[in-house]
Amino acid sequence: MFKSTRKSRRRLTRTGQVFVVCALLALLASWNSGINLYYLIFGAIGSFLFFSFILSRRGLMHLEVAREAPMAVNRFEPFGILVRITNKRQFLPVSSIRCENADARGESTGYVLAIPPGRVAQVRTTQQFTRRGRRLLPAIDLVTSFPFGLIEARRRFDIETEVLVYPRVLAARTALIDQLRGNGELPKVAQGPGDEFFSLREYVPGDDLRFISWRASARTGTLLVKELEQQTARYVVIVFDSRLRQDVEDFYERFEESVELIASIAVTLLNRQFKVAIVTPTLILPDGEGTAQTLKVLELLARIEPAEPTAADPFWRAAQEDDPRRTSILMVSPDPAQWGEIRSGGNVRVLDPREVIHA
Amino acid sequence: MPEQSLRTVRISLALMTFASYLALATTDSFGPEIALVPLLLIGLMPVFERFDAARPMYRRVTHILTLGFTIFIIPMLVQNLITGLMTILLYIQTYLFLHRKGVREYRYLFLMAFFLLVAAVAQSPDPAFGLVMPLFVLSAVWAFASVQIYAETVANAQGNIADLLPQTGRRGFLPPEIAQWVTGAKRDTVNVAPMLAVLSLGCVMVTLVFFMFTPRMEAGVFGRSNILNQPLRSGLDEGVNLSRGGTIAGDEETVFLARFPREATGKPPTDDTGGIYWRVTSYNKLVGDEWSRDPGELEFHEWRTRDRGVLERVTAGQGNRLVEQEIFLESTTDRVGVPAMPLLTKIIPPDGTRFLPDDWDPFTIRIGRSSSQSFSYQAISELLEFTEGELSSAPANYAEEFTRNRNLTVYTSHRLSGRSAALARNLTANLDSPYEKALAIEAYLQSTEFLYTNTLEELPEDDPVDAFLFVRKAGHCELYASSMCMLVRSLGIPARVASGYKTTAFDWSEDDGGYIVRKRNAHLWVEVYLIGVGWRLFDPSGILEMDNSLLARLQRWFTRNVLNLKIMYYRDIVGFNSGIDLGNLISFSIGLVRFDVETMRSALPSLGMFAQGLPRAMLILALALAAFWGLFVMYRSAALRRRHAAIVQFTEDQIRATRMYSQLKRRLHALGVNGHTIGARELFSEVESNLPEQRETVLSLVQTYNDARFGGRPLNKEHYIRLVRDVRGIRKPRPAK
């Protein structure tokens, strides 16, 4: 994070161009007229250009730049970045420095009026990624046109900072779990035979509002949800058909939407103490629960790419891995033609994303 | 942080602008009063910025003014390029000062200040410029540095300004107290001022280095003509150069306005051509191609200075006709002398100005000290009238007349070639009288053998007269007059050239009642000394056709109006003295108190004179102020009406109810019940307590008021009148006996 590669450039600003033109005109006038006062004018303009030329570059020397960013963020989620600039000089301050991202020239991400010698200045900026996956933060350019705004010097610091961008997670209602399984043991999160009270827990967005215990909630001041029976069968396998489909219009967009959907459902379920597993044509994430599993799911989904069209059908693969404990299989596909299809012997229907209600 | 840097920007801008105007003040074209302009601009800047922010109409008005200025500036540019450019510069600067500014506008203002500095350099400033230049450089350093910081802080004002992390441990080997003084860092704030101070000094030093070590070249490396310099233009210079070539453009810029208050027709007597000569000074020494003055002894006439600086010739007024002139001189940059008709006998300067007679030329009056660039003065000239016989009979014994040989030599020396001298002899071979000889030479030069033109070819510097007489035979008044003067001198007759202005009937302005003399009227003629007569005027020049093109007429119209404005300003504001005399006012007041009619009447004429003498300018100003105030009031009430239109829209019934209630409150107030600060209900309660007998009446009135004002009930006029009668019927009961 502290590596810096020196790439510095200088250019004349518009004001600097005017100064140069005025200097040339003053010089021509002094040569032509022989009037000493014109030489004085030329000298004054020249002094400005001289100091701009010298100080613009020197102003960016003996600086160290460090950047801190989170290791992982969600897509579209703004996150903060700290940039620290250290003045390594012993006597002289540096003045009027602007931070820019190398890929967004002219857009300032921070400004430092001055850094005394040996001191550190810190700039906070925010950024967001619009695409998931492994992203590298762009290099940092320090730019200064101190003192007069005539010459702009730029120095690049290639600081490699990687950020893993998870898919966006939107809380989803889990009632769809009931709809996906025709019969058999249902996860006891829904109303079922017996309706026996088991415990109270805090409300998680997506819970069925019918199970909120209002009396208890009023007592405690927080929303509490009744759990009716012990969760004996709270396994969910999310099967994701990520095979590349050339015939699907806007396949990559739909792929991203599917990834986002899976992330939303998985995280919601995990927050509700479900055990979630994910199966794709090329990957299997064994079931797990809790925060650790959440991170594994998000990391997997952050890196997932469309599989080869010839990869194994994940639905078939999931069927091979079937565990008697599992009670819910969630099938997700980016192919709209598959939405609503009945698979796995009539037991499972491919999820139609339009049916998912986000909380 | 933007506020701090903005403050620095504005202060340095003020200093930079002030320095640029100080540079202008060191030139001949401007006086120290020009330094008031930046003070005015800086003082008005915050006021008008607020105006600009609050009133969209302000910007519309200034845009219209700018459009008008654009039309107005075009003839000025044609008339005088440098003056036009400076006017544009000043307008842009004023416009920017009096509007809201962003970073770009501040940079434009810096550029304007720089251009003003260059304009000052172009006009040969005094050595005081050397003090102004460092001030300019120092203020420019701060200005550019602070505007750069301001631009960055504004761009990052949304919270992306860096914080300094707390210092841990000691950095470097300097103690923190000293280090922070050196770097300007105190705790977590940073001061860039010490850095800029060092930078300012560095810039001054580097400026000097550049100045000393920039390689010089011979001037004129790109050609002698300078596009910023004006082409040859008519007008008086401090010297006369015969050899330069080029086309002299007739300059329509006005020099002075001359009126004749004591002439019955308003016009003075003129010569046969309708021309009048306005003499400024003379030259008696021609060396090469330059005329200059060879100082001699004061010999013929003396001036004496009376009280208030009036100059009067000692021997004057021998019964010849006197002509009084009232002259408004527009610009006193012409240092050679003040114009007046010959022969000048008396000249009365304005207050604050001192005139000095020249030591050797008794008819040249120079300005010793002036309190303003333009002023008005009175001159009385003596018109000498001689018959032809008297002139012809003037003797030629100059050696006896000129007691000091040196003076005669001064006025008779010449460097004509033998050929030119022979020409003079040939032209005057059969003539004895100096007057007739001069006439003959004059007639020769006025003949068709010579062409009067303003398009000149360069003449040889050492022999321009000979070149004119025998080679070119074309030229302007300087060549004509110089040739005649030399030819006359070659005959041993004292002669010199006089410079000034010549007006014709074309220059008479009926509207202004006087001659408007312009730079194109500048002229050179000859004065030949005739014993017993004095210096006699001869003019060998031809006549140049007047430029009557549309552009020239436009220039004349424009300069005439500018002259009138200046006269109005000088007469009605600077020279205003028609105010009320304080002593008369006191007398009038005393007379009024004592009912002393006589005293009042004696003071009254003076007061009446005030009304008569009220200057037009003040009247116009008062009318303008009144019109502006009226417009402002109308606009304000319209704005208030618009603002309240949505909130308050009274019906007629509500207005009547309100009016009736106001009358009730006033009535009750007279009876000791103050209802102005309480509501209707409280008022009724007060009445119940203090005027119980009026309870029913007041209750009815208050209820009617509430219903009509708030309840929307009607209250027609007849009902209103009845209620008002009831209000008037409310009285305090008489105490029981």
Side-chain angles (χ1 to χ4, degrees):
Chain A
M1 278 217 247
F2 292 82
K3 194 185 299 182
S4 69
T5 306
R6 289 179 195 160
K7 291 178 191 172
S8 55
R9 291 178 293 276
R10 276 179 283 200
R11 72 170 187 92
L12 272 178
T13 61
R14 189 166 297 179
T15 310
Q17 291 167 9
V18 171
F19 258 72
V20 169
V21 169
C22 290
L24 287 173
L25 289 175
L27 187 61
L28 290 175
S30 53
W31 278 340
N32 194 47
S33 64
I35 297 175
N36 274 331
L37 290 179
Y38 283 126
Y39 285 101
L40 205 61
I41 299 277
F42 169 71
I45 302 173
S47 69
F48 275 64
L49 289 167
F50 173 78
F51 277 107
S52 293
F53 185 78
I54 298 294
L55 293 179
S56 59
R57 180 136 185 254
R58 292 196 67 81
L60 297 178
M61 292 170 67
H62 306 291
L63 294 179
E64 271 187 11
V65 178
R67 178 166 54 193
E68 283 180 17
M71 293 192 59
V73 296
N74 288 95
R75 187 173 164 226
F76 293 121
E77 176 194 335
F79 60 96
I81 299 175
L82 280 180
V83 175
R84 289 204 181 90
I85 305 169
T86 306
N87 180 8
K88 304 297 282 184
R89 299 180 197 193
Q90 286 200 339
F91 299 111
L92 296 176
V94 291
S95 302
S96 190
I97 294 177
R98 194 170 72 236
C99 298
E100 290 179 1
N101 286 332
D103 59 350
R105 192 168 173 143
E107 290 178 22
S108 171
T109 57
Y111 174 69
V112 183
L113 174 61
I115 309 176
R119 296 286 295 273
V120 181
Q122 180 173 279
V123 178
R124 296 168 198 276
T125 63
T126 55
Q127 192 159 348
Q128 67 179 26
F129 286 109
T130 57
R131 294 183 60 197
R132 63 179 177 87
R134 181 173 162 271
R135 297 277 167 252
L136 282 174
L137 288 176
I140 292 179
D141 281 349
L142 292 187
V143 184
T144 183
S145 54
F146 188 79
F148 304 124
L150 305 181
I151 296 175
E152 183 182 89
R154 177 179 293 268
R155 186 178 166 195
R156 180 154 296 175
F157 293 82
D158 288 323
I159 302 169
E160 295 173 356
T161 310
E162 184 183 296
V163 177
L164 189 60
V165 184
Y166 297 150
R168 185 168 47 175
V169 172
L170 302 170
R173 292 196 183 278
T174 53
L176 62 90
I177 303 291
D178 309 332
Q179 300 165 14
L180 295 173
R181 188 82 175 172
N183 54 11
E185 300 81 18
L186 296 173
K188 301 298 185 220
V189 291
Q191 275 186 333
D195 198 19
E196 189 176 332
F197 174 77
F198 177 67
S199 69
L200 287 172
R201 63 170 173 80
E202 280 196 14
Y203 173 79
V204 170
D207 286 341
D208 197 332
L209 296 178
R210 291 175 293 176
F211 295 97
I212 293 177
S213 173
W214 294 107
R215 209 175 279 175
S217 301
R219 256 202 318 273
T220 59
T222 55
L223 282 176
L224 297 174
V225 171
K226 286 182 266 190
E227 291 187 332
L228 298 180
E229 281 191 18
Q230 185 178 5
Q231 300 292 321
T232 56
R234 294 165 61 84
Y235 292 93
V236 175
V237 175
I238 301 176
V239 181
F240 181 33
D241 185 0
S242 61
R243 288 175 296 176
L244 179 64
R245 301 268 159 82
Q246 301 285 3
D247 55 336
V248 173
E249 196 182 339
D250 301 327
F251 172 80
Y252 287 99
E253 267 184 40
R254 297 198 186 281
F255 184 86
E256 293 298 324
E257 287 168 7
S258 302
V259 169
E260 205 166 277
L261 179 65
I262 294 170
S264 303
I265 295 172
V267 169
T268 303
L269 292 174
L270 285 166
N271 287 338
R272 296 188 55 211
Q273 285 83 49
F274 274 74
K275 288 192 176 179
V276 174
I278 295 181
V279 176
T280 74
T282 52
L283 291 167
I284 293 179
L285 178 67
D287 58 76
E289 60 182 341
T291 311
Q293 184 70 356
T294 305
L295 286 176
K296 287 179 190 171
V297 164
L298 289 175
E299 198 159 318
L300 180 147
L301 292 174
R303 297 178 194 275
I304 192 169
E305 295 296 332
E308 292 295 320
T310 54
D313 185 346
F315 300 134
W316 173 86
R317 197 175 177 190
Q320 303 303 312
E321 299 283 332
D322 200 7
D323 187 316
R325 298 175 299 163
R326 288 181 171 52
T327 58
S328 292
I329 295 179
L330 203 62
M331 293 194 174
V332 179
S333 170
D335 183 2
Q338 291 187 320
W339 294 349
E341 254 183 32
I342 305 296
R343 304 289 294 271
S344 190
N347 290 330
V348 183
R349 191 164 65 89
V350 177
L351 177 64
D352 186 344
R354 292 167 293 193
E355 296 172 358
V356 176
I357 300 171
H358 292 288
Chain B
M1 192 192 297
E3 293 79 23
Q4 292 171 359
S5 50
L6 179 61
R7 203 177 308 133
T8 311
V9 168
R10 290 163 80 88
I11 292 171
S12 49
L13 168 67
L15 281 173
M16 202 173 158
T17 308
F18 190 66
S20 64
Y21 278 90
L22 279 182
L24 283 177
T26 62
T27 65
D28 290 340
S29 308
F30 298 94
E33 58 271 9
I34 194 78
L36 293 174
V37 172
L39 295 177
L40 189 68
L41 290 175
I42 293 160
L44 290 174
M45 183 168 70
V47 174
F48 279 90
E49 278 177 343
R50 252 181 253 131
F51 224 57
D52 187 22
R55 298 274 185 263
M57 179 64 71
Y58 173 75
R59 214 164 252 258
R60 282 185 217 126
V61 168
T62 54
H63 286 166
I64 293 170
L65 283 174
T66 303
L67 184 64
F69 173 80
T70 311
I71 299 169
F72 164 87
I73 197 63
I74 294 171
M76 186 180 262
L77 278 170
V78 172
Q79 169 80 12
N80 189 320
L81 181 65
I82 290 189
T83 306
L85 287 175
M86 284 216 49
T87 308
I88 291 174
L89 208 60
L90 290 172
Y91 183 83
I92 294 174
Q93 193 178 51
T94 306
Y95 183 95
L96 289 171
F97 260 105
L98 301 185
H99 285 76
R100 281 178 298 166
K101 289 174 277 297
V103 172
R104 190 175 55 176
E105 284 75 22
Y106 280 113
R107 290 202 169 115
Y108 288 159
L109 280 167
F110 300 156
L111 198 62
M112 296 300 116
F114 170 72
F115 286 153
L116 286 177
L117 187 81
V118 172
V121 169
Q123 297 179 70
S124 305
D126 291 341
F129 182 84
L131 294 173
V132 172
M133 189 67 184
L135 173 64
F136 185 88
V137 171
L138 291 173
S139 54
V141 167
W142 281 81
F144 278 97
S146 53
V147 84
Q148 189 268 335
I149 292 173
Y150 174 64
E152 295 283 8
T153 51
V154 163
N156 291 278
Q158 298 304 319
N160 285 349
I161 307 291
D163 303 313
L164 270 183
L165 295 183
Q167 189 167 18
T168 55
R170 214 168 91 174
R171 295 279 185 268
F173 52 84
L174 285 176
E177 297 78 19
I178 296 174
Q180 81 181 22
W181 179 82
V182 169
T183 63
K186 286 184 181 178
R187 296 194 176 187
D188 292 331
T189 61
V190 180
N191 189 2
V192 297
M195 206 169 8
L196 289 182
V198 172
L199 192 59
S200 305
L201 290 174
C203 277
V204 171
M205 290 170 62
V206 172
T207 301
L208 293 173
V209 168
F210 270 104
F211 172 73
M212 287 192 293
F213 292 105
T214 301
R216 260 57 170 178
M217 258 191 221
E218 185 184 340
V221 64
F222 300 113
R224 291 283 174 183
S225 62
N226 187 338
I227 57 167
L228 285 182
N229 279 348
Q230 297 180 55
L232 292 177
R233 299 195 79 90
S234 50
L236 291 191
D237 285 332
E238 292 211 17
V240 178
N241 186 297
L242 301 179
S243 64
R244 69 182 168 184
T247 298
I248 300 176
D251 194 340
E252 296 289 345
E253 189 176 332
T254 50
V255 180
F256 64 93
L257 169 70
R259 293 194 177 107
F260 306 90
R262 297 205 188 277
E263 297 297 319
T265 58
K267 282 187 187 179
T270 62
D271 64 10
D272 299 337
T273 64
I276 296 179
Y277 291 84
W278 304 87
R279 191 180 186 284
V280 175
T281 189
S282 65
Y283 304 92
N284 58 8
K285 183 177 177 183
L286 179 63
V287 176
D289 61 342
E290 287 263 355
W291 275 103
S292 59
R293 301 181 189 89
D294 187 347
E297 303 283 335
L298 183 65
E299 53 191 291
F300 299 116
H301 305 281
E302 290 182 358
W303 290 86
R304 65 177 178 205
T305 305
R306 281 173 40 198
D307 54 320
R308 292 182 67 237
V310 175
L311 287 174
E312 198 167 21
R313 273 173 44 209
V314 175
T315 56
Q318 301 298 327
N320 288 303
R321 185 162 180 228
L322 296 176
V323 177
E324 184 176 330
Q325 308 128 69
E326 196 179 87
I327 295 174
F328 177 81
L329 187 62
E330 187 171 337
S331 171
T332 56
T333 55
D334 182 5
R335 297 251 171 99
V336 297
V338 293
M341 289 175 69
L343 295 166
L344 192 58
T345 60
K346 186 173 176 181
I347 189 160
I348 304 166
D351 289 340
T353 301
R354 195 156 62 97
F355 284 163
L356 296 171
D358 199 84
D359 287 338
W360 58 277
D361 179 355
F363 303 107
T364 295
I365 304 296
R366 288 185 282 113
I367 303 166
R369 182 189 65 230
S370 175
S371 59
S372 63
Q373 294 278 72
S374 308
F375 56 79
S376 181
Y377 60 94
Q378 285 171 294
I380 298 174
S381 303
E382 183 182 10
L383 298 187
L384 301 177
E385 290 166 357
F386 294 93
T387 63
E388 286 292 316
E390 285 172 331
L391 293 168
S392 299
S393 61
N397 50 333
Y398 291 106
E400 295 168 21
E401 178 73 13
F402 282 74
T403 55
R404 296 178 186 83
N405 288 337
R406 183 172 175 274
N407 288 331
L408 181 60
T409 310
V410 164
Y411 294 109
T412 56
S413 65
H414 67 91
R415 290 177 63 179
L416 286 181
S417 62
R419 190 179 172 194
S420 299
L423 173 65
R425 285 194 297 274
N426 291 340
L427 290 173
T428 59
N430 299 323
L431 301 170
D432 298 321
S433 152
Y435 173 67
E436 287 167 354
K437 288 180 181 178
L439 272 182
I441 294 173
E442 184 191 51
Y444 171 70
L445 290 171
Q446 283 177 344
S447 68
T448 53
E449 202 166 326
F450 293 90
L451 174 67
Y452 192 89
T453 175
N454 271 349
T455 301
L456 315 168
E457 289 181 37
E458 264 196 57
L459 296 176
E461 289 182 9
D462 53 352
D463 218 349
V465 171
D466 286 341
F468 170 72
L469 286 172
F470 298 108
V471 180
R472 303 280 186 241
K473 289 183 179 285
H476 57 98
C477 58
E478 291 176 0
L479 287 165
Y480 277 84
S482 306
S483 300
M484 178 173 173
C485 182
M486 291 296 117
L487 289 171
V488 167
R489 282 188 177 188
S490 70
L491 300 174
I493 301 171
R496 64 188 181 190
V497 293
S499 74
Y501 301 88
K502 181 183 175 185
T503 53
T504 64
F506 185 84
D507 302 301
W508 174 259
S509 169
E510 201 61 50
D511 294 335
D512 299 299
Y515 284 101
I516 295 180
V517 183
R518 304 169 186 276
K519 284 190 175 177
R520 62 164 167 74
N521 294 110
H523 196 50
L524 198 74
W525 58 91
V526 181
E527 288 179 345
V528 177
Y529 188 77
L530 301 175
I531 297 173
V533 173
W535 291 99
R536 179 77 184 177
L537 189 153
F538 289 85
D539 189 2
S541 301
I543 297 172
L544 189 66
E545 198 176 311
M546 194 58 58
D547 183 0
N548 216 23
S549 64
L550 174 64
L551 185 62
R553 278 184 279 145
L554 202 63
Q555 288 173 343
R556 283 195 286 273
W557 171 84
F558 174 75
T559 53
R560 178 178 155 256
N561 282 292
V562 169
L563 177 66
N564 279 327
L565 282 173
K566 287 187 180 181
I567 291 174
M568 190 191 295
Y569 172 76
Y570 178 80
R571 185 189 62 214
D572 297 335
I573 295 176
V574 175
F576 176 68
N577 63 353
S578 303
I580 301 175
D581 184 75
L582 187 60
N584 286 336
L585 185 63
I586 294 173
S587 303
F588 182 82
S589 306
I590 292 171
L592 187 68
V593 168
R594 290 178 182 172
F595 297 106
D596 185 349
V597 176
E598 279 307 312
T599 307
M600 285 162 57
R601 194 173 291 143
S602 64
L604 199 58
S606 305
L607 294 178
M609 275 165 53
F610 168 71
Q612 290 174 4
L614 187 68
R616 273 181 299 164
M618 299 295 280
L619 195 61
I620 292 170
L621 187 64
L623 284 173
L625 279 173
F628 173 77
W629 181 250
L631 285 171
F632 176 75
V633 168
M634 282 166 54
Y635 166 76
R636 187 86 184 139
S637 45
L640 279 170
R641 270 199 301 274
R642 273 197 304 275
R643 203 184 298 168
H644 292 124
I647 304 169
V648 175
Q649 266 181 336
F650 284 148
T651 63
E652 289 296 322
D653 295 334
Q654 284 173 316
I655 293 171
R656 275 193 281 268
T658 309
R659 209 177 291 154
M660 182 271 293
Y661 185 66
S662 300
Q663 292 179 10
L664 174 64
K665 282 195 292 188
R666 279 199 295 274
R667 191 74 184 170
L668 290 173
H669 185 72
L671 297 178
V673 178
N674 187 3
H676 290 297
T677 55
I678 53 178
R681 192 183 293 277
E682 291 84 2
L683 178 68
F684 179 66
S685 304
E686 288 283 317
V687 168
E688 273 191 318
S689 310
N690 297 319
L691 295 170
E693 60 283 347
Q694 304 293 346
R695 181 185 177 278
E696 295 301 325
T697 311
V698 172
L699 176 64
S700 166
L701 288 167
V702 168
Q703 279 177 342
T704 308
Y705 164 70
N706 279 330
D707 291 341
R709 170 72 175 83
F710 302 106
R713 294 279 176 85
L715 179 63
N716 60 32
K717 202 169 179 182
E718 291 74 24
H719 191 187
Y720 164 74
I721 292 170
R722 280 201 300 276
L723 291 173
V724 167
R725 272 201 217 112
D726 292 343
V727 168
R728 287 180 189 154
I730 297 174
R731 287 191 180 87
K732 216 165 190 177
R734 290 179 187 174
K737 288 187 182 171

